[in-house]
């Protein structure tokens, strides 16, 4: 059935006081991948305008688990959380819009940091803000504070593929590659990933194999991303390092093209 029919049916159920049935229909609509942004916002606005914040949280938490990286679901979820925490929604969202402009315009790091701390002081449960704080501290060279905020980001948003890859990248680079690899297993189904996420996944696995001194396996993973982005400096640098270490270990000259043809195929 189309989302419009289900929405109409849910409204009819409400009229006849069949609230649980109506709720299940709304959940079904929000879990559907094809549901458009307008319908998502319509349902969210309906529950929030009626003051049914707890029901809205129940609805959108289910939707978030099904589609954790869908922007409209994420927006409704954060609005619901703000309402539950009794944080002025408009004021907070204006602050986030200001932050977005600063980030898009490569704003001054101190101004960005000040804006981020202002947002966290109002509401500490926004994973996007925690992630930006982690990134900013990392650029400022404070790895300890970056780790704290990136871990908080992941704790708040562990269903998200984007967040999982981001936190895994940090762990792989600075902290615990074995824990990073465990996180990668959560997002290893490439059918659900965008081409960019697939590249990030292979790139992180290549880093893991290099750290474990499995240089051939690292090279095989790198061929999967070099096939798509052959001039990426990060990929090329790790590729050269892997080849160099492999030559030290085996004394062999690696036949690049034959290994490439065996390892890759094409990225989905």
């Amino acid at each position: 059935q189309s989302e419009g029919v289900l929405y109409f049916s849910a409204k009819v159920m409400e009229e006849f006081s069949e609230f649980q049935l109506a709720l299940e229909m709304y959940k079904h609509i929000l879990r559907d991948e094809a549901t458009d942004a307008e319908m998502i916002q319509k349902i969210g606005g309906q529950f929030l305008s009626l003051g049914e914040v707890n029901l809205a949280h129940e609805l959108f938490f289910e939707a978030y688990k099904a589609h954790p990286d869908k922007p409209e679901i994420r927006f409704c979820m954060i609005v619901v959380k703000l309402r539950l925490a009794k944080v002025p929604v408009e004021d907070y969202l204006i602050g986030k819009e200001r932050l977005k402009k600063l980030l898009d315009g490569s704003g001054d790091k101190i101004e960005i940091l000040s804006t981020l701390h202002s947002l966290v002081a109002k509401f500490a449960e926004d994973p996007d803000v925690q992630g930006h704080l982690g990134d900013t501290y990392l650029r400022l060279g404070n790895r300890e504070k970056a780790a704290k905020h990136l871990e908080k980001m992941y704790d708040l948003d562990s269903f998200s593929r984007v967040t999982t890859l981001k936190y895994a990248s940090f762990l792989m680079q600075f902290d615990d590659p074995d824990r990073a690899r465990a996180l990668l297993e959560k997002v290893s189904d490439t059918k659900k990933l965008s081409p960019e996420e697939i590249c990030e996944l292979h790139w992180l696995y290549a880093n893991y194999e290099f750290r474990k001194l499995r240089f051939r396996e690292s090279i095989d993973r790198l061929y999967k991303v070099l096939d798509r982005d052959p001039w990426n400096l990060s990929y090329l640098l790790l590729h050269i390092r892997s080849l160099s270490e492999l030559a030290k270990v085996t004394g062999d000259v690696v036949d690049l093209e034959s290994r490439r043809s065996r390892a890759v195929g094409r990225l989905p």
Side-chain angles (χ1 to χ4, degrees), residues 64-159:
Y64 161 74
K65 288 192 294 183
H67 308 293
D69 292 300
K70 198 164 187 173
E72 299 81 16
I73 297 289
R74 294 179 70 84
F75 177 79
C76 289
M77 190 67 187
I78 200 69
V79 169
V80 169
K81 286 184 172 182
L82 288 166
R83 290 283 296 272
L84 283 172
K86 302 189 185 310
V87 174
V89 175
E90 186 176 356
D91 181 50
Y92 185 83
L93 294 179
I94 288 171
K96 282 197 75 171
E97 186 59 31
R98 180 167 178 265
L99 174 65
K100 182 178 184 300
K101 289 178 180 176
L102 287 170
L103 293 170
D104 290 346
S106 301
D108 177 75
K109 291 185 181 68
I110 302 305
E111 188 178 3
I112 290 172
L113 197 59
S114 173
T115 304
L116 285 164
H117 278 296
S118 173
L119 287 168
V120 167
K122 293 183 178 80
F123 183 66
E125 306 300 302
D126 187 334
D128 297 329
V129 171
Q130 293 289 347
H132 288 312
L133 254 176
D135 291 341
T136 303
Y137 274 121
L138 202 54
R139 287 194 294 272
L140 292 171
N142 193 327
R143 202 173 92 187
E144 185 176 336
K145 283 192 174 181
K148 171 188 168 185
H149 290 289
L150 290 170
E151 183 173 14
K152 177 71 170 176
M153 169 198 73
Y154 179 71
D155 288 344
L156 291 168
D157 199 24
S158 59
F159 288 95

Side-chain angles (χ1 to χ4, degrees), residues 23-266:
L23 193 63
E24 290 305 315
M25 287 182 182
Y26 289 130
K27 287 181 181 179
H28 183 84
I29 294 168
L30 292 173
R31 284 196 300 263
D32 193 330
E33 180 69 45
T35 299
D36 64 23
E38 185 178 348
M39 179 61 75
I40 292 168
Q41 291 163 359
K42 187 176 181 179
I43 294 172
Q46 172 186 324
F47 277 83
L48 290 171
S49 66
L50 293 172
E52 297 287 356
V53 185
N54 288 316
L55 280 178
H57 183 268
E58 181 183 340
L59 272 173
F60 280 97
F61 185 65
E62 289 293 319
Y64 161 74
K65 288 192 294 183
H67 308 293
D69 292 300
K70 198 164 187 173
E72 299 81 16
I73 297 289
R74 294 179 70 84
F75 177 79
C76 289
M77 190 67 187
I78 200 69
V79 169
V80 169
K81 286 184 172 182
L82 288 166
R83 290 283 296 272
L84 283 172
K86 302 189 185 310
V87 174
V89 175
E90 186 176 356
D91 181 50
Y92 185 83
L93 294 179
I94 288 171
K96 282 197 75 171
E97 186 59 31
R98 180 167 178 265
L99 174 65
K100 182 178 184 300
K101 289 178 180 176
L102 287 170
L103 293 170
D104 290 346
S106 301
D108 177 75
K109 291 185 181 68
I110 302 305
E111 188 178 3
I112 290 172
L113 197 59
S114 173
T115 304
L116 285 164
H117 278 296
S118 173
L119 287 168
V120 167
K122 293 183 178 80
F123 183 66
E125 306 300 302
D126 187 334
D128 297 329
V129 171
Q130 293 289 347
H132 288 312
L133 254 176
D135 291 341
T136 303
Y137 274 121
L138 202 54
R139 287 194 294 272
L140 292 171
N142 193 327
R143 202 173 92 187
E144 185 176 336
K145 283 192 174 181
K148 171 188 168 185
H149 290 289
L150 290 170
E151 183 173 14
K152 177 71 170 176
M153 169 198 73
Y154 179 71
D155 288 344
L156 291 168
D157 199 24
S158 59
F159 288 95
S160 165
R161 298 188 304 274
V162 173
T163 294
T164 299
L165 286 168
K166 179 173 179 171
Y167 189 45
S169 179
F170 174 79
L171 291 173
M172 191 71 75
Q173 186 176 1
F174 292 111
D175 193 6
D176 187 349
D178 289 315
R179 188 180 173 202
R181 190 186 188 285
L183 292 182
L184 296 181
E185 292 297 318
K186 291 179 56 181
V187 293
S188 59
D189 184 358
T190 56
K191 293 177 184 176
K192 297 181 179 179
L193 302 180
S194 69
E196 292 76 18
E197 290 167 347
I198 292 171
C199 281
E200 181 72 4
L201 183 69
H202 286 307
W203 159 242
L204 290 172
Y205 270 123
N207 274 272
Y208 178 80
E209 299 297 353
F210 182 86
R211 289 170 180 273
K212 295 299 179 180
L213 310 181
R214 295 194 286 262
F215 304 116
R216 289 186 185 277
E217 289 83 352
S218 179
I219 290 166
D220 287 345
R221 286 282 184 177
L222 284 166
Y223 281 148
K224 293 177 183 294
V225 290
L226 283 166
D227 191 52
R228 179 176 291 275
D229 190 1
W231 301 111
N232 185 298
L233 291 178
S234 296
Y235 301 166
L236 290 169
L237 180 59
L238 185 58
H239 188 205
I240 291 166
R241 292 177 67 194
S242 296
L243 289 170
S244 176
E245 294 296 332
L246 183 61
K248 290 177 188 177
V249 172
T250 66
D252 293 337
V253 176
V254 179
D255 181 343
L256 300 183
E257 290 307 316
S258 64
R259 285 195 65 76
R260 185 184 185 113
S261 63
R262 290 199 303 272
V264 188
R266 290 271 173 181

